[in-house]
Amino acid sequence: MDVRLLWLALGAFAGSVESSLIVSVLPAIATETGVSLAQAGYLIFGYSIAYGIGTPLLSTLFGHLDRRSVVAGAELLFGLMCLLLGVLPGFLLLVLARTCMALGAGLFTSTAQATAVALAAPGKRGSAISTVVMGGSIAVAVGVPASALVAEFLGWRVAYLGLGVLAIIASATMWLKLPGDIHGDPRTIRERLSVLKVPGMPLTLLASGVMVMASFTFFNYLAPVTTDLLGLDRVLLPLVMFAFGVGAVFGNFFGGRLADRIGGRQTMLVIGGLMVVLLAAVPLLAMLPRPAVLPAFLFHMLLYGVVSWGFFPPQLHRLAALAPAAVPLSASLNLTSMNLGGALSALVGGLVLENLDIGWLGPIGAVVAVAALVIAYLAPDHR
């Protein structure tokens, strides 16, 4: 294996850790900065909007540069914003820093896999991409619980400072170790959006965004669900995140294989149906006898990790079937759709917290998941 791929994987690791770490530290940030949990959700909203809209724009703007400059620069921006999150006072400054962080994270993610392919020897491209993706998988299973543990006992700012240092080390090593002659992608925005003309593509992308909206309406506010709704100690959050991470690894693995066996649409319907059930069941967990709450919730989050991450492979399967020659373009737009769905989930979850009870996060998410199921059913699998 080309060891240079490991530095790309490290960058993917840092980005994946941060995107889930915010879920466990949101209440602590809200308390320290004097805002409500619903207002703290703007940290997620700003990040998701910047990631979803900024990534294709920056990819176009910097498409003429070599990929070493892009991945190293994007990871450097991400790392510097992590450091700022660790020291900046005031909620608005934190929102601004995390929004800028999303630009670095999105640009890195959109460029890293293509860079891995360029580095790979003939016949090794699949394993090269897997190496980079492995960074994200390890982050979800191990990095997120570990960072949540650091945040719990040393403070959320220390966790962000550590992530910032890690990302800057990865950026510097990418600059030193990667070749400077890997050409970028100079396509214009119009060319990147041309894939939307493929019949069925808009509906399939919409299904991705709505499914993420459903999933994260609950997941964004996992910390208060754990403590306020279920009455569990917040020191158990790293364990909850670990259960989710283990499920995510299995979901990513089996989602793709199930799509190969029964097709992308059928897999999405199965996974979406399970998502509806799990979200609707959230309030029921609080009704269990006290000794049963923790084991039941851990099992619930294990399954939730499976379905939350299990829908990525079948969606890519469907996109590839619709436009086999334009997978990079459709995958990029899928990422945009998912992040816009994530932004809306922060707003919807905030409205639930302000106007209803926290126990409604799951059922409201279930209603949105039903809408995603309908869209997924209507979207064709082939042109």
Side-chain angles (χ1 to χ4, degrees), residues 4-38:
R4 295 174 297 181
L5 296 173
L6 296 178
W7 297 107
L8 293 172
L10 183 61
F13 174 89
S16 294
V17 167
E18 195 285 328
S19 63
S20 292
L21 172 63
I22 190 67
V23 170
S24 61
V25 302
L26 206 60
I29 295 176
T31 300
E32 182 178 318
T33 57
V35 301
S36 68
L37 264 177

Side-chain angles (χ1 to χ4, degrees), residues 266-348:
Q266 287 76 8
T267 303
M268 274 292 293
L269 294 177
V270 170
I271 289 173
L274 290 172
M275 176 76 73
V276 171
V277 172
L278 290 172
L279 286 170
V282 170
L284 302 180
L285 294 169
M287 302 177 186
L288 294 173
R290 177 57 49 191
V293 172
L294 178 59
F297 188 44
L298 291 177
F299 182 65
H300 179 276
M301 290 308 299
L302 178 73
L303 295 179
Y304 199 73
V306 171
V307 298
S308 295
W309 279 67
F311 96 94
F312 295 119
Q315 274 300 87
L316 292 176
H317 185 281
R318 300 186 77 183
L319 294 171
L322 288 171
V327 172
L329 296 179
S330 60
S332 176
L333 289 177
N334 191 53
L335 200 59
T336 293
S337 177
M338 288 164 54
N339 276 279
L340 294 180
L344 290 175
S345 74
L347 294 182
V348 171

Side-chain angles (χ1 to χ4, degrees), residues 359-371:
W360 281 97
L361 286 172
I364 295 296
V367 172
V368 179
V370 170

Side-chain angles (χ1 to χ4, degrees), residues 54-80:
T55 297
L57 294 178
L58 290 180
S59 296
T60 302
L61 180 63
F62 297 118
H64 65 285
L65 297 178
D66 67 276
R67 288 200 168 114
R68 180 185 69 170
S69 299
V70 175
V71 292
E75 190 68 9
L76 178 61
L77 175 61
F78 173 84
L80 291 175

Side-chain angles (χ1 to χ4, degrees), residues 27-341:
I29 295 176
T31 300
E32 182 178 318
T33 57
V35 301
S36 68
L37 264 177
Q39 291 170 325
Y42 282 105
L43 284 163
I44 297 170
F45 176 79
Y47 179 96
S48 298
I49 287 291
Y51 199 119
I53 297 177
T55 297
L57 294 178
L58 290 180
S59 296
T60 302
L61 180 63
F62 297 118
H64 65 285
L65 297 178
D66 67 276
R67 288 200 168 114
R68 180 185 69 170
S69 299
V70 175
V71 292
E75 190 68 9
L76 178 61
L77 175 61
F78 173 84
L80 291 175
M81 292 304 106
C82 281
L83 294 181
L84 284 179
L85 272 166
V87 298
L88 282 175
F91 181 69
L92 289 179
L93 289 176
L94 294 178
V95 171
L96 180 61
R98 192 162 193 266
T99 300
C100 292
M101 175 198 295
L103 298 176
L107 185 58
F108 175 83
T109 301
S110 66
T111 311
Q113 291 187 16
T115 305
V117 169
L119 290 172
K124 298 290 185 180
R125 291 181 175 180
S127 60
I129 293 175
S130 296
T131 300
V132 177
V133 173
M134 176 186 67
S137 300
I138 294 175
V140 174
V142 180
V144 173
S147 63
L149 202 62
V150 170
E152 177 61 34
F153 290 100
L154 298 179
W156 65 270
R157 290 186 182 273
V158 174
Y160 270 98
L161 290 173
L163 268 181
V165 171
L166 186 68
I168 290 172
I169 290 173
S171 170
T173 309
M174 289 176 208
W175 178 259
L176 293 172
K177 299 295 185 181
L178 297 180
D181 58 351
I182 303 176
H183 300 296
D185 183 354
R187 280 178 286 197
T188 65
I189 282 288
R190 176 174 293 184
E191 290 171 325
R192 293 172 189 270
L193 295 178
S194 62
V195 72
L196 290 175
K197 297 177 182 178
V198 175
M201 185 65 69
L203 268 183
T204 303
L205 294 173
L206 180 61
S208 287
V210 178
M211 186 62 79
V212 167
M213 180 181 171
S215 174
F216 279 80
T217 294
F218 159 71
F219 188 71
N220 285 337
Y221 300 98
L222 180 63
V225 167
T226 302
T227 56
D228 299 348
L229 178 65
L230 302 182
L232 299 173
D233 196 303
R234 70 178 191 178
V235 299
L236 294 171
L237 262 175
L239 184 60
V240 173
M241 298 299 289
F242 177 72
F244 174 82
V246 171
V249 172
F250 279 100
N252 193 51
F253 179 81
F254 288 111
R257 279 148 187 79
L258 189 60
D260 288 338
R261 183 179 294 270
I262 66 174
R265 176 194 286 172
Q266 287 76 8
T267 303
M268 274 292 293
L269 294 177
V270 170
I271 289 173
L274 290 172
M275 176 76 73
V276 171
V277 172
L278 290 172
L279 286 170
V282 170
L284 302 180
L285 294 169
M287 302 177 186
L288 294 173
R290 177 57 49 191
V293 172
L294 178 59
F297 188 44
L298 291 177
F299 182 65
H300 179 276
M301 290 308 299
L302 178 73
L303 295 179
Y304 199 73
V306 171
V307 298
S308 295
W309 279 67
F311 96 94
F312 295 119
Q315 274 300 87
L316 292 176
H317 185 281
R318 300 186 77 183
L319 294 171
L322 288 171
V327 172
L329 296 179
S330 60
S332 176
L333 289 177
N334 191 53
L335 200 59
T336 293
S337 177
M338 288 164 54
N339 276 279
L340 294 180

